[in-house]
Amino acid sequence: NAGVTQTPKFQVLKTGQSMTLQCAQDMNHNSMYWYRQDPGMGLRLIYYSASEGTTDKGEVPNGYNVSRLNKREFSLRLESAAPSQTSVYFCASSPTSGGPPYEQYFGPGTRLTVT
Amino acid sequence: GESVGLHLPTLSVQEGDNSIINCAYSNSASDYFIWYKQESGKGPQFIIDIRSNMDKRQGQRVTVLLNKTVKHLSLQIAATQPGDSAVYFCAEINTGTASKLTFGTGTRLQVTL
């Protein structure tokens, strides 16, 4: 099992450009999450999908959109990138949302720089 | 708002010594905690978890202690090895409200030879 995979690993965008970060999991998990990680700050939840067909806003959703394409895949889209979105983005999955087990499994991350 | 934090941003430990990484949490309703390890350039990895009905839980070379009275969590690593060098952070959740995990900022553990 590959676990949680993310593409791309690195990306540089110019302000105003758009892009989609891809995430896939092969653990048959119901729930998937997108976080951003900034220096000196903990992981902050952008959006999550408790189950296929549902998505909900997290702590910092502004400037992002998500799509739960199917049970395996959960993408994050930046429609018009801003320098404030420079960060490392992590996708995670868990068997369920709001119920045990609560452990989340993380992908390797995408390092995004917006100039 | 509710938050999870850490006392020390960087901890330097000699190889072979024991490491203790601390975490303070402010949400007294949190009843489940996880410690994650994040190596440079990688995603966080689960280390160990503990429920609030326990004071201590042991894994392989790691022990988590929970003091609910002072809302304090610690991760002890025995015989620290160079491979233990990473950022460690705790996460909490109030399972009764089906809330999401809240993550702390992390402590960097540096293992010196």
Side-chain angles (χ1 to χ4, degrees):
Chain A
N1 287 349
V4 179
T5 57
Q6 292 182 237
T7 55
K9 279 187 157 328
F10 302 94
Q11 183 70 51
V12 179
L13 292 177
K14 293 184 178 179
T15 298
Q17 287 185 316
S18 62
M19 79 159 296
T20 300
L21 281 64
Q22 306 287 353
C23 174
Q25 53 90 10
D26 62 1
M27 296 175 282
N28 200 35
H29 286 171
N30 287 310
S31 303
M32 298 184 74
Y33 311 82
W34 275 105
Y35 293 91
R36 59 178 289 171
Q37 185 177 46
D38 300 295
M41 302 185 74
L43 290 162
R44 291 185 293 169
L45 183 64
I46 304 171
Y47 271 94
Y48 67 99
S49 171
S51 60
E52 186 179 354
T54 69
T55 61
D56 286 287
K57 295 179 180 179
E59 181 185 354
V60 288
N62 291 344
Y64 305 95
N65 283 300
V66 291
S67 295
R68 183 73 182 269
L69 305 171
N70 47 56
K71 191 171 186 179
R72 289 187 65 249
E73 299 171 288
F74 188 39
S75 63
L76 178 71
R77 183 161 178 84
L78 287 71
E79 289 292 350
S80 179
S84 62
Q85 294 179 304
T86 293
S87 187
V88 181
Y89 291 84
F90 288 100
C91 177
S93 71
S94 65
T96 64
S97 174
Y102 301 96
E103 177 187 346
Q104 294 181 15
Y105 298 79
F106 286 84
T110 294
R111 186 173 296 274
L112 175 68
T113 301
V114 183
T115 62
Chain B
E2 306 290 358
S3 65
V4 174
L6 295 171
H7 295 308
L8 300 173
T10 304
L11 178 65
S12 187
V13 174
Q14 199 159 12
E15 181 181 6
D17 288 350
N18 296 335
S19 302
I20 300 176
I21 301 170
N22 297 304
C23 174
Y25 64 95
S26 58
N27 185 356
S28 58
S30 292
D31 59 354
Y32 178 76
F33 305 87
I34 301 175
W35 277 102
Y36 280 93
K37 173 186 181 182
Q38 187 176 17
E39 296 176 271
S40 181
K42 297 184 178 180
Q45 284 181 289
F46 172 91
I47 302 173
I48 192 167
D49 59 358
I50 188 168
R51 295 189 179 278
S52 60
N53 61 354
M54 302 172 70
D55 296 324
K56 179 180 179 179
R57 189 161 189 225
Q58 288 184 291
Q60 189 174 12
R61 278 202 309 120
V62 295
T63 301
V64 57
L65 299 178
L66 175 63
N67 185 332
K68 294 180 287 295
T69 302
V70 295
K71 295 197 287 288
H72 184 266
L73 196 68
S74 69
L75 177 71
Q76 299 179 1
I77 304 174
T80 311
Q81 302 169 359
D84 295 326
S85 293
V87 174
Y88 293 80
F89 53 89
C90 60
E92 63 168 330
I93 186 170
N94 176 354
T95 62
T97 62
S99 61
K100 302 295 171 285
L101 284 172
T102 299
F103 295 87
T105 55
T107 291
R108 182 174 301 280
L109 177 64
Q110 294 178 333
V111 181
T112 58
L113 301 178

